[in-house]
Amino acid sequence: MSDFLSKFNKDKYNDLVDDKKTGSSEKEKPETNQQADLDNVQQGSLEGNSTNGVASTETRYSPTSGSRRIETTEEVEIDPTYQKKKRRKLLLTIIGALLAIVVIYFIYHNMVHVEVPDFTDQPVSEARSWAKDHKLELELTQEFSTEYEANRIFSQSITAGEKIRKGKTISIVSSKGPDPEEMLPLPDFSAMNRYEIESWIQENKANNISFISEYSDEIQEGEFIRLVFRDSSVTEAEYRRRDNATIYFSRGKEVFEKNITVPNFVGKSRAEVEQWAETNSIEMTYEEENSSSVDAETIMSQSVSPDEKVAKMDKMKVVVSLGRAIIVPNFGSLSMDEAMAQEDLMVTVKKQFHSQVPYGGLISQSISAGTKLTDKDSTNITVIYSEGRPYLKDFRGQLEGDLPSLFYDEYQSKGANIKYTVKVVDSSETKGTVVGMSKYNEFVPMNYTVEIRISNNKAQPPAQPEPPVTEEPTEEEPVDTDK
């Protein structure tokens, strides 16, 4: 551009002006001499006044020619700043062309490029929509993060504000939320208030911990009560972010309005009272007494008068009839036959040996004397009487196979630990027959072992003595059959 302007110096400019003048004069020059003379006059005038920058036009009459001649003189004003303006105009034209090129390039560049916004902490759906609108490919990667919520973008491959050509790929990284498998060391919640615990949960993204408030008579309102895991196998040392837990806080002592009217329970069944107490959340205490006039399971009295007002969780007491009571007698004053004759009781009488209680004496009874039995109690009672000291019987002649049942029935079932040992001896008695005992037919201690001798049938039977000879009676002498 500078080379182009340098060609426009003062001489070039004057030549251009002269050429322009000459060209215009030639177009206007007539073929007559008069016009030629006029041009000469104009040229002289122009040269004479060029120093002043003014051209003038004059009309003259010639007296010698016999005719009128018109002489015209033109005055031309020359602008001394013309060359400067010409260079400025050319410069502006070049600058305008360059600016047009720049604008066209800028428009084209903006048409095929797009500025990348800042997607930080924006949802993935917004980035997808933007990429689709601007014809870009979106590459998504997900990672765990405790700083950003799930499906929120926290990293992008193209810095915000930079431009990317359409059709290219932009990579973003979004959050999968906090890692559910991460183990979290739990603080001592009992030493923290609810605000501190909520702050800890928010900071550690332990969103599976919830709160429940419950009434407590012992713990002040707002204080920590307990921590409960839904999975009983989870411990505080093994807690992971995915585990569900509940923290219980106290609501203080619950205060109820006394707006429950107490009915008259006397004469009503215990079941009715239990239903009323459960429906109205009343802590009912039941005392039981026997009565010969009030049927069993019927209310005899109540601690709160009828029509009085009580509130939920208030305490009441009613007395329930046990019906007519059966007083258990002292069976020590009764014989075995009298014990079995009791009509109101189901008495079972047993006999046992006893080294100190004499025969017929009471050893024990399953229900103590003086006990009151009502309809809800069992009337079965076992009474044990003494057979005195054990008496060892004579078992000679019995078979060995019968001894176990004999010793059990006679002694062991009655509390006496009487046992036996077997000794096989030569005998002509049938094999297996008891032929002897170390002791028999006498009293023995409660713990005693007797020796039983059993025949092996290997001995010869003893010789039978000959019967005595008796004289036959004569016919004269009658026979005395009584002898």
Side-chain angles (χ1 to χ4, degrees):
M1 179 178 173
S2 58
D3 294 338
F4 177 80
L5 296 176
S6 61
K7 296 178 181 181
F8 288 89
N9 53 26
K10 185 176 181 181
D11 295 334
K12 294 287 184 178
Y13 176 73
N14 291 335
D15 294 338
L16 181 60
V17 173
D18 294 340
D19 292 340
K20 185 176 181 180
K21 289 181 179 181
T22 304
S24 59
S25 299
E26 290 177 353
K27 290 180 182 180
E28 296 176 357
K29 184 177 181 181
E31 296 180 358
T32 60
N33 293 330
Q34 294 178 354
Q35 185 66 34
D37 295 338
L38 180 61
D39 291 338
N40 292 330
V41 173
Q42 292 176 351
Q43 182 69 28
S45 299
L46 180 61
E47 292 177 357
N49 298 323
S50 60
T51 56
N52 297 325
V54 178
S56 62
T57 301
E58 294 181 358
T59 301
R60 297 179 181 180
Y61 296 94
S62 177
T64 60
S65 61
S67 64
R68 188 181 62 181
R69 186 180 65 178
I70 299 174
E71 295 181 358
T72 302
T73 302
E74 293 183 358
E75 294 183 0
V76 179
E77 182 178 358
I78 303 301
D79 186 1
T81 63
Y82 175 77
Q83 295 183 7
K84 186 176 182 181
K85 289 180 179 181
K86 189 70 174 180
R87 286 195 298 269
R88 181 180 298 173
K89 182 177 180 180
L90 182 61
L91 179 62
L92 292 176
T93 302
I94 296 172
I95 293 174
L98 293 175
L99 288 177
I101 295 173
V102 172
V103 169
I104 293 173
Y105 175 79
F106 179 78
I107 294 174
Y108 172 76
H109 185 273
N110 286 342
M111 289 177 63
V112 297
H113 290 77
V114 61
E115 183 177 344
V116 178
D118 186 4
F119 292 116
T120 303
D121 203 23
Q122 298 298 318
V124 175
S125 59
E126 184 172 331
R128 291 185 186 277
S129 177
W130 179 86
K132 182 178 180 181
D133 294 341
H134 295 85
K135 298 179 176 57
L136 291 170
E137 295 294 330
L138 188 68
E139 185 179 83
L140 175 64
T141 305
Q142 290 185 311
E143 296 178 2
F144 290 115
S145 173
T146 57
E147 183 178 356
Y148 295 91
E149 297 180 1
N151 294 321
R152 291 280 178 170
I153 300 170
F154 62 86
S155 177
Q156 58 191 77
S157 60
I158 306 298
T159 306
E162 291 187 9
K163 290 189 175 183
I164 183 173
R165 187 180 182 86
K166 293 182 178 180
K168 296 294 184 177
T169 299
I170 179 172
S171 300
I172 61 173
V173 181
S174 69
S175 172
K176 294 168 63 177
D179 186 1
E181 297 298 327
E182 182 182 359
M183 295 186 65
L184 298 178
L186 296 178
D188 183 8
F189 292 126
S190 61
M192 304 167 66
N193 57 38
R194 181 159 181 167
Y195 174 77
E196 293 172 335
I197 295 177
E198 289 177 345
S199 299
W200 181 89
I201 291 175
Q202 184 176 4
E203 179 181 352
N204 292 273
K205 307 299 181 184
N207 299 324
N208 287 330
I209 297 180
S210 57
F211 297 92
I212 292 181
S213 297
E214 65 179 18
Y215 291 105
S216 174
D217 295 339
E218 293 80 18
I219 301 177
Q220 294 182 357
E221 181 179 358
E223 295 294 326
F224 172 86
I225 298 179
R226 63 186 180 277
L227 171 66
V228 179
F229 296 103
R230 180 178 297 179
D231 186 353
S232 58
S233 63
V234 177
T235 62
E236 294 189 19
E238 300 174 348
Y239 176 76
R240 288 178 169 81
R241 188 178 280 109
R242 62 177 172 81
D243 296 323
N244 290 280
T246 303
I247 298 177
Y248 287 81
F249 278 91
S250 173
R251 297 178 63 182
K253 187 175 181 180
E254 188 174 12
V255 179
F256 299 100
E257 181 184 358
K258 291 184 179 295
N259 56 358
I260 303 173
T261 303
V262 178
N264 186 2
F265 293 121
V266 176
K268 294 185 178 181
S269 66
R270 176 171 178 164
E272 292 181 68
V273 178
E274 290 176 342
Q275 180 63 40
W276 179 86
E278 181 179 357
T279 302
N280 295 280
S281 302
I282 301 298
E283 295 185 14
M284 188 68 70
T285 302
Y286 302 91
E287 291 186 357
E288 298 176 329
E289 293 183 5
N290 60 288
S291 174
S292 58
S293 59
V294 181
D295 294 336
E297 297 297 307
T298 301
I299 305 302
M300 299 171 59
S301 63
Q302 60 192 74
S303 61
V304 180
S305 302
D307 299 327
E308 188 173 333
K309 299 286 187 179
V310 294
K312 286 184 178 181
M313 305 310 295
D314 279 357
K315 296 180 179 181
M316 278 188 63
K317 180 179 68 175
V318 293
V319 179
V320 185
S321 173
L322 296 174
R324 186 178 66 88
I326 301 172
I327 300 176
V328 178
N330 181 6
F331 287 93
S333 60
L334 302 176
S335 65
M336 296 183 188
D337 295 336
E338 291 174 335
M340 297 182 66
Q342 295 291 317
E343 295 180 356
D344 297 329
L345 298 172
M346 300 293 293
V347 181
T348 301
V349 176
K350 292 184 178 181
K351 297 179 182 180
Q352 284 189 0
F353 291 108
H354 202 283
S355 60
Q356 297 179 356
V357 179
Y359 179 84
L362 178 68
I363 296 177
S364 66
Q365 61 185 76
S366 58
I367 301 177
S368 302
T371 301
K372 295 179 180 180
L373 301 179
T374 61
D375 292 343
K376 73 173 187 176
D377 298 320
S378 174
T379 57
N380 294 322
I381 184 169
T382 301
V383 180
I384 302 176
Y385 286 97
S386 174
E387 283 203 4
R389 296 167 58 196
Y391 185 82
L392 187 59
K393 295 181 179 181
D394 184 3
F395 292 112
R396 289 179 301 174
Q398 299 289 336
L399 294 177
E400 181 182 8
D402 296 331
L403 292 178
S405 62
L406 290 172
F407 271 80
Y408 178 80
D409 294 339
E410 293 292 336
Y411 304 108
Q412 295 169 3
S413 64
K414 298 178 182 180
N417 188 24
I418 306 302
K419 300 179 181 178
Y420 66 91
T421 59
V422 175
K423 182 178 181 181
V424 180
V425 296
D426 294 334
S427 173
S428 61
E429 295 292 333
T430 304
K431 183 179 180 179
T433 302
V434 178
V435 294
M437 298 175 63
S438 61
K439 183 180 289 189
Y440 59 91
N441 289 343
E442 61 179 290
F443 290 102
V444 293
M446 293 291 292
N447 292 284
Y448 186 77
T449 301
V450 61
E451 182 183 273
I452 303 293
R453 302 181 184 94
I454 306 297
S455 171
N456 60 7
N457 195 24
K458 291 184 179 181
Q460 295 295 327
Q464 295 293 332
E466 295 181 1
V469 178
T470 59
E471 296 180 357
E472 294 182 359
T474 62
E475 294 181 359
E476 291 83 6
E477 295 180 358
V479 176
D480 187 0
T481 59
D482 293 334
K483 295 180 180 180

